[in-house]
Amino acid sequence: MRDVRNTGGVSRRRALGMGVGASLSFGSGKALAQQAIGQPLIGNPALPEVPQSRMRWAIVGLGTFAVGQVIPGFASARHSRMTAFVSGNRAKAEELGSRYGVSQFFGYNNYDDIGDADDIDCVYIVLPVGLHAEYTIRALEAGKHVLCEKPMASTSAECEAMIAAARANDRRLGVAYRVHFEPNNVHVRDRIANGDLGTMRFVSGDHGFDANPDWPPHKWRLEKELGGGGSMYDIGIYGLNTSLMMVPDDTPVSVSAVYSTPEGDPRFTEVEGGLEYRLRMASGISLSGSSSYCWNPYVSRQRYFGSEGSIEMQPATTYYDNTIRLEEAGKPPSEYIAGNPIDQFAAQLDGFSQAARSSTEHRTPGEMGLRDIRLIEAMYRSADQDGAVVRL
Ligand code: NDP
C-alpha cells in the first residue's frame, strides 16, 4: 500500500512545488551538499538481529557517530528498525547494509526519492551541522518524520525554517539530545525534581576535547560552513542542554560569555576554540559552563549544587560510563551508577518512534534545539563584546 502522504509516485515536496525550505537561504548549503561525496567506513560494528513491525528508519550520513553508536543502538530498540541508508559512499553503505540487513540505498543526488519509499517512516540526520537544515527540511517535505543530530543547525533562522517545515507537513521533528534518555542523567534529573538537593543554587557544565585538524570528523568541525560554530556548538551544547534539563522550570534571562581560544592556534581561524558562559536564570541562580577544543584528555563534567546537597557527574554525558557522586549534608559521599548509559541510544530511537506513531511531541523537540542555538548566538554576541551582558 502506498503512503497516502505521497502523491502517486511524486514526492510530497515535488507535489507541493515550492516548499517551506525553498523560502530559506541555506547559505552555501546546496553547494556543500553537492560536495557531499561520502567518507570511508570507520569502525566495525557487530551484526544485530533486525526486528520487524516497528517504525522504519533511514539513516542519513554513515560517519563515526552513526556507525559507532546510532546504528548499533537499533539492536536493543523495541519500536524501531532500519530500512535504508543514505550515503555518498555506496560501497560503505552496502557493506553496512549486509551486516545489518538493510538493502535500500540512496545517495545525496537522489535523496528526495525517499519520498517515494513507503517503508521509511523516520529519517535520522547524522550529517555535519552545516547540512542539517537542508536535509531535514527535504525529508520533512518528503513526508518523513525527522530526528536531527545536535546542534540542530548552523543558525536560529535555519532552526525556525525546520520547525516551520515540520508544521507545514504535519511531521514530528526532534533534536537528538540523547542525554534526556541516558539513565544516569534521567536519575539525577528526577532527584533534583524530587528536592533531594534542596533548593538549587548553582549548575555548571564543562565539556571539551582536543580537536585534531587532520582527522576528517574533526576537520569539518573547524570549518564554519560545515560546523556552524566552534567548541560551544559541537561539545559545549551538551553541557548547556543538560544543565537546562536539570532545571526545567527555570528560564535564562541574560547571558555573558568570553572566548578562550588560544592565541595564534592555526586550528581556529574560522570557529572559536573555547568559550565560557554564565546564564542568569529567572529564579536568581546562575548556570555556567565552558567548552573547549583544546582540552586533553576529554572532559565531560556536570555539577549541581543545592541548599542540602550536591551532585557531580564526571563523566556526565559519555556513551558508556557516566557516574554520579552525591554529597548530602551530614552524610558520607556516595558514588554510584543508576543505569547502563548504552541504553540511551535505543531509548532515544524508540522515544522518537513512539512520538511519531502517536503524533505526540518528542521529549526533545525542534523548539528545544532552537532555544539552544538562540542561546549560543547570544553567547557569541556577548563574547564579541568581551563579555557584555546580553538580555534574552
Ligand atoms: P563524521 O564526519 O564522522 O560523519 C559525517 C558523515 O556525514 C560522513 O561520514 C559522510 O557520510 C556524511 N557527509 C556528507 N557530506 C559530508 C561532507 N561534506 N563532509 C563530511 N561528511 C559528509 O561526523 P560525526 O559522525 O562525528 O558527526 C555527525 C553528526 O553527529 C554531527 O551532527 C555531530 O554533531 C553529531 N554527533 C552527535 C553525537 C552525540 O553524542 N549526539 C556524537 C558525535 C557526533 P557518508 O560517507 O555516508 O556520506
Side-chain angles (χ1 to χ4, degrees):
M1 208 170 103
R2 289 205 60 76
D3 186 333
V4 292
R5 292 186 299 271
N6 292 331
T7 311
V10 179
S11 78
R12 182 179 176 87
R13 180 169 189 262
R14 289 180 211 138
L16 289 173
M18 296 284 282
V20 174
S23 62
L24 175 81
S25 164
F26 291 111
S28 57
K30 295 278 183 197
L32 290 170
Q34 280 153 18
Q35 294 161 20
I37 53 169
Q39 295 188 348
L41 173 60
I42 302 168
N44 184 26
L47 176 68
E49 281 180 31
V50 178
Q52 302 297 325
S53 304
R54 304 163 186 220
M55 291 296 267
R56 300 154 303 179
W57 288 67
I59 311 300
V60 184
L62 305 177
T64 321
F65 186 61
V67 172
Q69 313 304 329
V70 172
I71 292 174
F74 279 86
S76 40
R78 294 284 163 270
H79 303 274
S80 319
R81 67 185 173 100
M82 295 179 289
T83 50
F85 288 148
V86 180
S87 173
N89 182 335
R90 177 74 182 224
K92 173 174 65 174
E94 288 181 0
E95 186 184 336
L96 276 173
S98 70
R99 292 187 207 171
Y100 286 95
V102 172
S103 55
Q104 188 170 208
F105 307 106
F106 298 88
Y108 302 113
N109 51 355
N110 66 345
Y111 178 66
D112 296 313
D113 291 348
I114 61 171
D116 299 330
D118 292 341
D119 59 352
I120 298 173
D121 306 301
C122 304
V123 168
Y124 194 150
I125 305 292
V126 208
L127 294 165
V129 183
L131 300 171
H132 285 184
E134 177 186 345
Y135 282 84
T136 293
I137 291 172
R138 285 166 67 180
L140 291 165
E141 292 180 346
K144 311 303 179 186
H145 304 284
V146 177
L147 182 64
C148 177
E149 259 311 323
K150 49 55 59 179
M152 184 170 173
S154 295
T155 64
S156 54
E158 286 186 349
C159 298
E160 286 162 7
M162 293 158 81
I163 292 167
R167 289 197 185 127
N169 292 282
D170 191 23
R171 301 291 86 189
R172 304 280 80 71
L173 171 61
V175 178
Y177 287 128
R178 59 181 170 77
V179 172
H180 290 247
F181 298 87
E182 196 281 310
N184 295 284
N185 282 278
V186 169
H187 170 86
V188 169
R189 180 200 67 191
D190 292 346
R191 285 201 84 134
I192 292 173
N194 195 42
D196 293 1
L197 303 187
T199 305
M200 289 309 291
R201 303 291 195 212
F202 178 63
V203 175
S204 78
D206 306 297
H207 296 255
F209 63 91
D210 199 25
N212 175 0
D214 299 323
W215 193 48
H218 283 186
K219 186 173 178 296
W220 64 256
R221 283 169 161 85
L222 301 173
E223 298 166 5
K224 181 140 179 65
E225 252 183 341
L226 281 172
S231 65
M232 192 57 217
Y233 253 66
D234 181 59
I235 188 84
I237 198 165
Y238 290 103
L240 175 66
N241 184 268
T242 303
S243 294
L244 290 170
M245 164 184 163
M246 300 300 175
V247 288
D249 299 328
D250 216 344
T251 316
V253 293
S254 67
V255 62
S256 57
V258 289
Y259 294 118
S260 56
T261 305
E263 194 79 19
D265 191 319
R267 292 175 294 179
F268 307 118
T269 55
E270 297 189 24
V271 300
E272 86 278 2
L275 184 138
E276 292 158 22
Y277 63 90
R278 181 174 297 269
L279 293 175
R280 176 65 57 195
M281 304 297 283
S283 69
I285 71 165
S286 79
L287 185 154
S288 79
S290 61
S291 68
S292 181
Y293 274 157
C294 312
W295 291 346
N296 194 6
Y298 179 90
V299 174
S300 164
R301 182 176 73 161
Q302 289 289 127
R303 292 181 297 162
Y304 309 101
F305 298 91
S307 58
E308 289 162 41
S310 66
I311 284 177
E312 175 164 353
M313 295 185 71
Q314 186 172 15
T317 61
T318 61
Y319 307 149
Y320 308 114
D321 50 8
N322 301 323
T323 58
I324 300 162
R325 181 182 164 85
L326 171 69
E327 295 206 42
E328 291 174 287
K331 295 183 188 171
S334 63
E335 197 160 319
Y336 63 99
I337 294 166
N340 188 347
I342 203 68
D343 293 345
Q344 65 192 299
F345 297 101
Q348 176 172 250
L349 292 166
D350 282 346
F352 189 80
S353 284
Q354 288 171 295
R357 196 184 283 289
S358 60
S359 296
T360 52
E361 197 171 75
H362 184 53
R363 193 179 298 174
T364 57
E367 286 76 5
M368 182 182 283
L370 169 61
R371 176 202 66 186
D372 293 350
I373 296 299
R374 282 182 175 152
L375 286 171
I376 297 174
E377 287 176 342
M379 289 175 196
Y380 287 159
R381 284 203 298 281
S382 170
D384 287 344
Q385 302 168 70
D386 206 20
V389 172
V390 171
R391 303 254 157 239
L392 298 167

